[in-house]
Amino acid sequence: MKPLKELTRPNIGALKPYSSARDEYNGAAASVFLDANENPYNLPHNRYPDPMQRDLKKELAKIKKVSAEHIFLGNGSDEAIDLVYRAFCVPGSDNVVAIDPTYGMYKVCADVNDVEYRKVLLDDSYQFSADRLLAATDEHTKLIFLCSPNNPTGNDLLRGEIEKTLDRFDGLVILDEAYNDFSETPSFLAQLDKYPNLVVLQTFSKAWGCAAIRLGMAFASVEIIAILSKIKYPYNVNQLTQQQAINMLHRYYEIERWVSTLKEERTYLMKAFTKLSCVQQVFHSDANFFLTRVSDAGAIYHYLVDKGIIVRNRSSISLCGNCLRVTVGTRVENEQLLKALQVYGK
Ligand code: PMP
């Protein structure tokens, strides 16, 4: 890996971050707070939240088995995706490399930040080769984006190829594990010490059932986390979100139950899909959704909308011609979907 100083945008390296009232005094001893121009009424929502989310990170560190200084928290993992561009990619001259197809926000953030986005097509099994990905890089490539399990294809990427990418790339590898809780493959979180260029993204939006509170996690070296923390908005994770996330972390056993139920439902739903006459192919999934190739994705999508059932039409995405992406729901919801598709075209 290149020295982090060399990978960081010069203006970010030199940046003196904004120092908020709660950065300057964050002790617990005081009882009179006259430093942040808050309203003294309307407790507890009158007070700014902890800008570094210390209590939440302490709880999260226990569950994730990493120390708090390796954790960045943001307004969804989308915030972390945007911040890695802003921290490391010089607009107009740097580039990033990503697998294709994959999660759309990597490209949107590249476009917003005026950074060239280089796509490397997956193979017919939706897998990538480290060699082909690395061949697309040059001296201006700062980031490689990998997503495992991948969205919208649903499959885990080959671990050996991820490791090879981490070993050989001299920039940062952003490994998005938004759906890893649904996979049998272990997270790369335990590999943070081994790979100084690894940034793992996870989220409260999927297995944790908290998409509404907007909380994403990035795990990386202390030095990378310090850079992301330096450029984030001062109070990027609000107090209600911090509190609700702590509540959820105390109920982790419930999340394990949801995950195992959803995996059972995934098996049930995918098996039933293979028997539908409008379905041509059901792709392997390690996530809480799966991709399926159907006879006419547009027509089936609109047919389901008319019945109040919404799936995602992914037909326009590379390698996903005539494909729908189906999220696994409750047994009742899954039955509704199957019932509708069983009478499609009849
Ligand atoms: N990564 C992937 C692969 C996703 O599919 C999504 C959401 N669809 C996200 C990140 C964004 O997650 P968040 O809600 O934490 O912003």
Side-chain angles (χ1 to χ4, degrees), residues 159-228:
R159 199 170 185 86
E161 295 301 305
I162 298 175
E163 287 166 349
K164 201 161 153 187
T165 309
L166 284 161
D167 275 328
R168 300 211 185 146
F169 182 50
D170 59 9
L172 303 185
V173 177
I174 316 299
L175 176 61
D176 190 338
E177 292 188 338
Y179 301 99
N180 176 262
D181 299 276
F182 302 100
S183 163
E184 303 309 314
T185 310
S187 160
F188 266 79
L189 260 192
Q191 312 294 312
L192 277 184
D193 287 343
K194 184 169 175 195
Y195 298 112
N197 59 343
L198 172 62
V199 179
V200 174
L201 302 182
Q202 294 186 0
T203 178
F204 271 70
S205 299
K206 312 297 174 184
W208 288 86
C210 284
I213 73 172
R214 308 306 301 130
L215 186 64
M217 301 162 265
F219 303 90
S221 71
V222 173
E223 294 76 17
I224 294 173
I225 295 301
I227 293 171
L228 299 181

Side-chain angles (χ1 to χ4, degrees), residues 59-297:
E59 294 294 320
L60 194 57
K62 286 189 228 159
I63 298 240
K64 298 291 180 181
K65 300 188 173 57
V66 297
S67 70
E69 57 194 354
H70 290 283
I71 307 174
F72 169 86
L73 296 176
N75 186 339
S77 26
D78 287 342
E79 180 181 357
I81 294 167
D82 185 49
L83 284 187
V84 289
Y85 280 99
R86 291 167 58 196
F88 302 109
C89 301
V90 178
S93 62
D94 283 338
N95 67 72
V96 307
V97 170
I99 54 171
D100 178 43
T102 194
Y103 179 46
M105 278 303 283
Y106 313 143
K107 170 145 178 26
V108 170
C109 290
D111 292 345
V112 167
N113 288 287
D114 192 18
V115 172
E116 184 194 349
Y117 185 85
R118 300 181 175 181
K119 299 175 180 182
V120 178
L121 205 60
L122 296 174
D123 65 20
D124 291 344
S125 335
Y126 294 141
Q127 285 300 344
F128 82 108
S129 120
D131 287 338
R132 288 192 52 231
L133 211 58
L134 292 164
T137 64
D138 63 17
E139 72 274 20
H140 295 293
T141 309
K142 293 293 188 66
L143 312 173
I144 286 181
F145 280 92
L146 297 174
C147 182
S148 182
N150 191 25
N151 178 7
T153 60
N155 59 303
D156 276 326
L157 299 179
L158 293 170
R159 199 170 185 86
E161 295 301 305
I162 298 175
E163 287 166 349
K164 201 161 153 187
T165 309
L166 284 161
D167 275 328
R168 300 211 185 146
F169 182 50
D170 59 9
L172 303 185
V173 177
I174 316 299
L175 176 61
D176 190 338
E177 292 188 338
Y179 301 99
N180 176 262
D181 299 276
F182 302 100
S183 163
E184 303 309 314
T185 310
S187 160
F188 266 79
L189 260 192
Q191 312 294 312
L192 277 184
D193 287 343
K194 184 169 175 195
Y195 298 112
N197 59 343
L198 172 62
V199 179
V200 174
L201 302 182
Q202 294 186 0
T203 178
F204 271 70
S205 299
K206 312 297 174 184
W208 288 86
C210 284
I213 73 172
R214 308 306 301 130
L215 186 64
M217 301 162 265
F219 303 90
S221 71
V222 173
E223 294 76 17
I224 294 173
I225 295 301
I227 293 171
L228 299 181
S229 300
K230 182 164 105 160
I231 65 174
K232 73 180 185 67
Y233 287 154
Y235 302 109
N236 64 326
V237 178
N238 72 66
Q239 181 58 32
L240 303 177
T241 294
Q242 292 189 39
Q243 190 50 56
Q244 179 60 14
I246 289 171
N247 296 345
M248 292 307 294
L249 288 170
H250 292 156
R251 289 166 54 197
Y252 69 91
Y253 49 88
E254 209 159 327
I255 281 79
E256 287 172 3
R257 238 186 3 244
W258 288 338
V259 168
S260 85
T261 303
L262 287 169
K263 288 203 287 198
E264 280 167 26
E265 282 303 312
R266 177 179 74 195
T267 305
Y268 168 78
L269 191 57
M270 288 174 70
K271 194 160 167 222
F273 257 66
T274 60
K275 301 194 177 117
L276 294 169
S277 58
C278 61
V279 167
Q280 292 169 356
Q281 201 171 355
V282 180
F283 295 96
H284 173 82
S285 170
D286 299 293
N288 66 333
F289 62 86
F290 63 92
L291 195 67
T292 177
R293 181 159 284 126
V294 293
S295 49
D296 185 340

Side-chain angles (χ1 to χ4, degrees), residues 22 25 29-35 47:
R22 254 348 131 250
Y25 181 85
S31 57
V32 180
F33 286 98
L34 304 176
D35 57 344
R47 297 293 176 199

